[in-house]
Amino acid sequence: MKKSIIGLFPLIVFLVLLLAGCQKEVSNYSMAIDLNSKIYNGVFTGTIEKGVPIDGEGTFTVDAEGSGKYLFYTGEWKDGKIAGKGTLTDENYEIDMPGSGKRQGNFSGDVLNGIPNGNGTFKSQNTSGIKWTYEGEWKNGKMNGQGKTSFENGKGAVDEGTYTDNVYTPTLVEWVQNFGTRGSDDCQYTLSDAEKTFIQENSELIKRNDLKGLEGKIDQSFNIERFKKNANSFSPAFVKIKNANIIQINEYYEEPGQTVTFCLAYTEDYENVLSFYMFGDSGDAVEDSTVDIVLLPIDYTTYKNVSDESVWAVAGVAVKMDVK
């Protein structure tokens, strides 16, 4: 019996040493990986076996001179490759923006099998060189879900809401809120919960661009002076402003597939300014036209005129505008 044990001892020692030699902890171990169809040469920190990462956790870093961590991954590995959940920073991540082409930038966030899935941030710039940042949800390597895009210079809308495959696809409530973020010179506002509910319940009327269905829905008691005094005390409602005089009017096309009209107008007595957006075109309305407007007032706020003066105005969303 003793001989048998003694005879097995060298084999046991050999197996232990063999197994111990197969796996070892490494730090900054040089290796290359294939990630999203690109080959990266960097260093791995974790446990390797036969020269490759074992199934489990590990980090991979690619340094680029002058830019810190060019690529940094920490998370799960399988069969020597990035697989499973992790987080990634990639200073040269590329996305395809439908209608705008490819954009390269810095991605940082959650990944699944090396592909952005979860929450993440992407920083890039547009064709005019203006830097922008997206923060929000990702799925299958694209902006999908709830997110927010803002511009470094503070100009332009804050596109907050629903994204689908890298395209901002807002709900009506999100779109109306978007109107209230359009640059420091415009009338800015934030929708209250009551206004959000009202817009949701009347979405078809707001986007229809006609007066059908508005019978009995117009608040005849609306008073601009009371609204100016405390806009927050006003219960959301459609109102009719008669004989307004257009100061400025612009039509433009917005993704996804929507014509929008922006308008500045004086009230009939020239005492108050209206600043509003409307879904659809403005028909025959031009500057100096006299119009009747069915409007959802949202806030009383300011904008900068051409003389850089702050002008107070009633901001809102129009349902319909009729030229007199």
Side-chain angles (χ1 to χ4, degrees), residues 106-292:
N106 185 317
F107 171 83
S108 180
D110 300 327
V111 292
L112 181 65
N113 300 328
I115 299 172
N117 277 276
N119 290 299
T121 300
F122 182 72
K123 296 181 179 182
S124 186
Q125 61 184 30
N126 61 19
T127 53
S128 299
I130 299 173
K131 294 180 180 180
W132 56 272
T133 299
Y134 169 84
E135 301 171 275
E137 297 178 325
W138 294 73
K139 185 178 180 181
N140 298 328
K142 298 179 180 180
M143 297 180 285
N144 277 293
Q146 291 294 299
K148 178 175 73 173
T149 296
S150 53
F151 293 86
E152 186 181 65
N153 64 357
K155 301 290 185 180
V158 176
D159 294 339
E160 185 169 7
T162 306
Y163 283 76
T164 306
D165 292 341
N166 295 335
V167 177
Y168 182 49
T169 54
T171 64
L172 182 62
V173 170
E174 292 166 349
W175 216 333
V176 174
Q177 179 56 72
N178 173 282
F179 292 154
T181 67
R182 299 196 170 193
S184 59
D185 295 341
D186 294 332
C187 287
Q188 298 191 336
Y189 56 77
T190 299
L191 292 175
S192 67
D193 289 341
E195 286 165 341
K196 290 177 182 178
T197 299
F198 183 87
I199 292 167
Q200 219 165 12
E201 291 175 346
N202 294 278
S203 59
E204 291 301 317
L205 294 176
I206 293 171
K207 295 196 72 172
R208 186 179 291 160
N209 197 230
D210 63 39
L211 300 180
K212 184 179 179 181
L214 280 169
E215 302 83 359
K217 286 183 173 284
I218 296 177
D219 182 359
Q220 304 293 341
S221 66
F222 176 73
N223 181 282
I224 284 184
E225 295 306 318
R226 289 201 302 269
F227 185 82
K228 288 161 56 177
K229 182 179 178 181
N230 186 358
N232 292 329
S233 67
F234 176 76
S235 296
F238 296 119
V239 304
K240 191 167 187 178
I241 309 293
K242 294 183 177 181
N243 301 318
N245 299 279
I246 294 178
I247 309 168
Q248 177 184 332
I249 188 166
N250 303 99
E251 285 180 7
Y252 46 92
Y253 180 82
E254 291 199 358
E255 295 288 351
Q258 177 68 59
T259 299
V260 173
T261 297
F262 171 73
C263 190
L264 287 173
Y266 280 117
T267 53
E268 184 177 12
D269 56 10
Y270 284 87
E271 291 293 322
N272 296 288
V273 177
L274 309 172
S275 172
F276 60 89
Y277 289 87
M278 183 178 73
F279 291 98
D281 63 60
S282 53
D284 296 329
V286 294
E287 288 186 13
D288 296 325
S289 291
T290 300
V291 296
D292 288 345

Side-chain angles (χ1 to χ4, degrees), residues 25-45:
E25 294 292 322
V26 295
S27 180
N28 296 328
Y29 175 77
S30 295
M31 60 177 287
I33 64 168
D34 184 346
L35 178 63
N36 300 328
S37 301
K38 293 180 182 178
I39 302 297
Y40 293 94
N41 292 295
V43 293
F44 174 80
T45 297

Side-chain angles (χ1 to χ4, degrees), residues 79-95:
D79 298 330
K81 301 176 181 178
I82 288 175
K85 295 180 179 180
T87 59
L88 175 71
T89 297
D90 185 347
E91 291 187 354
N92 196 30
Y93 189 74
E94 185 177 83
I95 63 174

